[in-house]
Amino acid sequence: MSEPKLIEPREAIKKVQPQQSQADTQANFIFWYIMTDGEQNFKDLKIDHLIMCELLYHSNFRRYDIEDSSIFVQIVNDRIIKQCSITDMMDFIFDYIDALPLNLNEKWGVDVIKQIKKKVLAGVSSYFNVQKLYILKPKEPIDFNKDTIKEKFIYFQNGFMKITALKVEFLPYSFLKGYVWENEIIKRDYQAPKKNEDLNYVRKFFWLVSGQKDNRFRDLCIAAGYYSHDFYEYKLKALILTDSTISQGNEANGRTGKTLWCRLVGGMLSSNSEDPAIKTYVEINAKDFDPKEKFKYSACALDTKLVVLNDLRRNFDVDCVYNDVTEGVDVNKKGLHPFKIKSKMILTSNKTVKLSGDSDTDRFLEFEFSSHFSKAHGPEQEFKHWFFRDWSNEDYCRYYAFMAECVQMYFKNGCKLNEPEQINLNRRKLIEQTNEDFIEWIENFDPKCGFDYVKTELFESFVKDFPDWSNPNFKQKKFSEWLKNYCNFNDNLKNYNKDHNERRDSEKRYFKFIAK
C-alpha cells in the first residue's frame, strides 16, 4: 500500500461550500487535512493547529494582557468586548464543526465531521493549551474607553451617553473611540424621557432624604455624581451616611433610605448590579467587618468600583480604612494571588461616627438623611412600588437621565464634594459622645466665654447636681473629655484646642470656652 497522501484543505472543501453566511469563513479556515491511501480513499485526517488559531483570531478571540498576567477576550462587535475562557473557545470550535455542511461527507463515504470531532477531542489538552493560545495576541492594542476628569460615559444597548459640564449627549457607538467591556453595557435601550416630575421617583427620593432643602439636595446630587464617575486620579473621599433623628438613650433608628441611595448609585456602574458575576458594586455587612482580617474585601473583584461598608458597629474607628479610601483596597481571595483595586467607598451608620483631627476630615464627609422615611414608612409606601423591581423601561430612563444630571452637577462644581448643611449632626454627636445628664447640666450652667474656670470645680459642681455620677468609676479625665466635646459640637464655640482652651499654674488647671 502506498504512503498516505495529504490533500490541501481548501481544495478538499472547495466543491462542497454551503450556501450560508459562514461559507467564506469555512472555505478559508479549514484546519484539517484529509489523508488518503494509494487509491485516493479516505485514510485519516490531521489537524492544523495554526489554522485553527487563525480561525479563532478571525472570530475575534484575543489575548489581553493585564500587568504581569493575561486573560482571553472576545470582541463582540466593533466596540464591545467580553472576557472569555478557554472553554468558550473550545465550544466555539465544536459549534463550528457542527455547522459544517453535511455534504462534506459525500465525497469520502465516511462521516468526516465525526472524524474531525474525534481528532480535536483526542488532542484537546494540546490544542487548547494556554501557552499555545498566547498566539492570539492582538495585532493592534486593545484600548478601552474610560471616564476622564471632564467626561462620564454610560453605555446602553442602542448607544452611549456622554456627559460633560456643558451638555449631555446620546450617541451611536460609531462615535466611541475605545472598546467597552460587555458588563458595562446596561441591558436597556435608552430614550430621552418626557419631563414629568411626578414620575421622576429618584429625584423625589433624593429631595425627601435630603430634608427638602435646595442646598442639601444639591450637595447630595453632587455626591451621587462623584460616585457615578469612574475616575480616581483626584483626591478621594468617603461619604459617611447617617441619620438626623435624635434618638432616646441608645436607640438606633435607621431605615431612612441610606442603603437604597447607595444602590441607586451602584446601579449606574454596571449592566446589572444583581448579577453575582458582576462585582462593580459591593456591599459589606460592617457589623462583621474586621479591619485586621486578611480576606475582609474578598467579595470585591477587578471590576469593583464602589465598596459600601453598611451599618457600622458602634464606635467604629475610621483610621482603619484611611488607606482604603485614598489608595484603593487590597483584595485577597482564598487560593488566588492578592491584587489591588481603585474604588470609591461609602460608610453607613445609624449612629454618628467619631471624627477627630484634620486626617479624618480630609478623608471623610458626613451627610445626614432626614427622618422622612422610617421603619413604619418606607419608599415602597411613599411611591407605591419597589424601586428597580417594579420599574418600566421609561422609569429606568428617567433614573438614568436624573443621575446624568447629578454627574453634570459634580463636574460644574469643579469635581469636588461640598460640606453639607447639618440637620442635627453636632447635637447627636454631643449626645453620643458625652451624656444627657452632662448636657442638661452644662446648658443650665451656661458657661461664659473667655472666662477661666477651674476644672476641678466644674467637675465637683456636676457630680453635686447629679449625684449618681459621684462614684469611683467616674473620673475627672472623663469629665474633661466631655468639656472638649462640648466645644467641638457646639455651633457657637470654637473647636477645642489645648493651647487656647486650657492653661495651668502651680496649683490649678483651668478650662476656657471660646466663642466663634
Side-chain angles (χ1 to χ4, degrees):
M1 184 178 292
S2 58
E3 290 293 316
K5 183 178 180 181
L6 297 178
I7 298 181
E8 207 281 327
R10 290 171 181 80
E11 290 296 322
I13 203 169
K14 186 181 293 183
K15 296 180 180 180
V16 289
Q17 289 185 17
Q19 301 300 313
Q20 300 174 6
S21 60
Q22 65 175 2
D24 292 339
T25 299
Q26 290 178 343
N28 292 315
F29 296 99
I30 308 308
F31 54 82
W32 62 91
Y33 290 88
I34 300 295
M35 302 173 68
T36 63
D37 57 20
E39 285 75 38
Q40 298 297 305
N41 295 318
F42 179 90
K43 173 79 175 174
D44 199 356
L45 57 80
K46 183 179 180 181
I47 300 299
D48 188 318
H49 187 244
L50 180 59
I51 296 179
M52 182 189 288
C53 289
E54 288 176 353
L55 171 61
L56 289 170
Y57 193 94
H58 175 78
S59 302
N60 291 326
F61 289 97
R62 301 285 188 274
R63 185 185 96 200
Y64 180 63
D65 299 329
I66 305 175
E67 295 181 353
D68 298 329
S69 61
S70 299
I71 62 173
F72 294 104
V73 299
Q74 186 178 18
I75 303 171
V76 180
N77 63 25
D78 288 343
R79 286 290 171 262
I80 300 171
I81 284 182
K82 66 176 182 180
Q83 185 173 349
C84 68
S85 64
I86 290 179
T87 302
D88 292 325
M89 288 186 271
M90 290 170 57
D91 289 343
F92 173 83
I93 291 297
F94 282 108
D95 288 344
Y96 175 84
I97 295 170
D98 285 337
L100 290 170
L102 294 176
N103 56 359
L104 183 66
N105 298 320
E106 294 177 359
K107 180 178 177 67
W108 305 104
V110 296
D111 193 338
V112 174
I113 295 174
K114 184 176 181 180
Q115 295 297 320
I116 297 170
K117 267 188 171 181
K118 287 175 63 176
K119 188 65 71 172
V120 172
L121 191 60
V124 71
S125 60
S126 175
Y127 301 138
F128 298 98
N129 177 283
V130 172
Q131 283 73 26
K132 287 185 177 180
L133 290 172
Y134 277 175
I135 196 174
L136 298 176
K137 177 182 178 181
K139 295 173 183 175
E140 296 178 357
I142 296 176
D143 295 322
F144 284 93
N145 197 70
K146 296 179 180 179
D147 290 358
T148 70
I149 186 68
K150 296 180 180 180
E151 299 171 313
K152 163 69 185 174
F153 300 91
I154 308 175
Y155 309 102
F156 299 91
Q157 293 178 146
N158 60 330
F160 69 97
M161 192 182 286
K162 180 181 177 181
I163 308 165
T164 65
L166 296 177
K167 58 184 176 180
V168 177
E169 301 175 278
F170 189 71
L171 303 167
Y173 277 105
S174 57
F175 282 69
L176 200 63
K177 295 178 181 178
Y179 290 101
V180 179
W181 286 109
E182 186 182 48
N183 66 5
E184 290 185 276
I185 296 174
I186 294 166
K187 303 293 191 296
R188 294 186 180 278
D189 288 341
Y190 179 79
Q191 289 183 332
K194 298 176 183 177
K195 288 200 178 284
N196 188 331
E197 294 304 317
D198 291 337
L199 296 177
N200 201 319
Y201 308 121
V202 179
R203 181 188 292 275
K204 186 176 181 182
F205 173 78
F206 273 49
W207 173 251
L208 294 173
V209 299
S210 66
Q212 303 180 55
K213 290 187 176 181
D214 289 336
N215 58 340
R216 299 191 86 252
F217 172 74
R218 175 204 64 211
D219 293 341
L220 188 61
C221 290
I222 288 171
Y226 164 74
Y227 283 108
S228 300
H229 189 210
D230 187 18
F231 187 82
Y232 308 91
E233 302 307 317
Y234 45 45
K235 193 171 190 176
L236 298 176
K237 281 197 170 190
L239 201 62
I240 299 175
L241 304 181
T242 185
D243 301 329
S244 61
T245 303
I246 297 177
S247 305
Q248 299 297 318
N250 290 322
E251 179 187 8
N253 293 302
R255 301 294 181 90
T256 55
K258 301 185 296 294
T259 301
L260 177 56
W261 187 86
C262 294
R263 291 173 183 172
L264 286 166
V265 174
M268 291 290 291
L269 300 174
S270 70
S271 60
N272 182 1
S273 59
E274 296 181 358
D275 186 340
I278 298 173
K279 300 291 185 179
T280 48
Y281 172 85
V282 172
E283 196 175 294
I284 296 173
N285 181 357
K287 293 286 188 187
D288 303 324
F289 182 80
D290 181 357
K292 296 180 181 179
E293 213 278 320
K294 182 178 180 181
F295 303 107
K296 58 184 179 292
Y297 292 118
S298 61
C300 299
L302 281 170
D303 59 352
T304 299
K305 299 172 185 175
L306 175 58
V307 177
V308 177
L309 296 183
N310 201 14
D311 197 12
L312 299 176
R313 62 179 180 273
R314 191 183 300 272
N315 299 321
F316 181 83
D317 186 359
V318 296
D319 292 13
C320 68
V321 293
Y322 268 11
N323 290 336
D324 303 339
V325 169
T326 57
E327 306 299 327
V329 302
D330 294 309
V331 181
N332 279 280
K333 293 176 179 284
K334 292 180 180 179
L336 296 176
H337 290 293
F339 56 90
K340 194 178 192 72
I341 57 170
K342 277 280 190 180
S343 63
K344 294 177 182 177
M345 188 173 287
I346 299 175
L347 289 69
T348 79
S349 176
N350 296 333
K351 290 289 188 179
T352 63
V353 176
K354 187 176 181 179
L355 300 179
S356 57
D358 294 339
S359 294
D360 286 359
T361 56
D362 197 44
R363 290 173 172 83
F364 301 96
L365 194 66
E366 297 171 282
F367 193 97
E368 300 163 274
F369 271 45
S370 79
S371 58
H372 183 87
F373 294 114
S374 63
K375 184 178 181 180
H377 179 75
E380 62 273 20
Q381 284 79 38
E382 178 81 31
F383 299 102
K384 312 301 181 190
H385 72 272
W386 282 77
F387 278 24
F388 296 117
R389 187 194 72 181
D390 298 333
W391 281 354
S392 65
N393 192 70
E394 190 171 359
D395 292 329
Y396 270 100
C397 289
R398 288 192 183 94
Y399 157 61
Y400 296 127
F402 171 69
M403 296 300 282
E405 288 181 41
C406 293
V407 175
Q408 197 169 32
M409 292 170 69
Y410 175 64
F411 286 154
K412 288 180 178 179
N413 203 49
C415 288
K416 61 183 180 65
L417 298 169
N418 292 339
E419 185 80 39
E421 176 190 337
Q422 292 186 12
I423 302 177
N424 292 315
L425 185 61
N426 274 346
R427 186 69 180 178
R428 291 179 65 229
K429 287 196 172 192
L430 181 60
I431 293 171
E432 292 175 18
Q433 295 184 33
T434 60
N435 181 273
E436 291 179 354
D437 289 344
F438 168 79
I439 295 170
E440 181 182 343
W441 171 81
I442 200 165
E443 288 180 347
N444 287 331
F445 180 73
D446 191 19
K448 297 178 182 178
C449 291
F451 182 82
D452 284 333
Y453 291 96
V454 178
K455 290 176 70 174
T456 55
E457 292 178 0
L458 291 174
F459 176 72
E460 289 167 0
S461 175
F462 170 67
V463 296
K464 180 182 177 181
D465 290 347
F466 290 87
D468 286 349
W469 290 94
S470 182
N471 64 73
N473 295 323
F474 184 63
K475 308 288 186 182
Q476 172 78 54
K477 181 179 180 181
K478 185 67 175 179
F479 180 78
S480 295
E481 288 179 9
W482 289 358
L483 293 176
K484 297 173 187 177
N485 286 332
Y486 181 71
C487 294
N488 289 333
F489 304 127
N490 188 310
D491 295 333
N492 299 316
L493 299 177
K494 286 187 177 180
N495 285 348
Y496 170 80
N497 180 299
K498 185 175 182 179
D499 294 334
H500 298 157
N501 292 85
E502 296 199 51
R503 71 176 183 87
R504 62 186 300 177
D505 59 22
S506 58
E507 297 180 357
K508 298 177 180 179
R509 295 185 177 185
Y510 302 89
F511 194 94
K512 178 166 57 178
F513 301 90
I514 303 172
K516 280 187 178 178

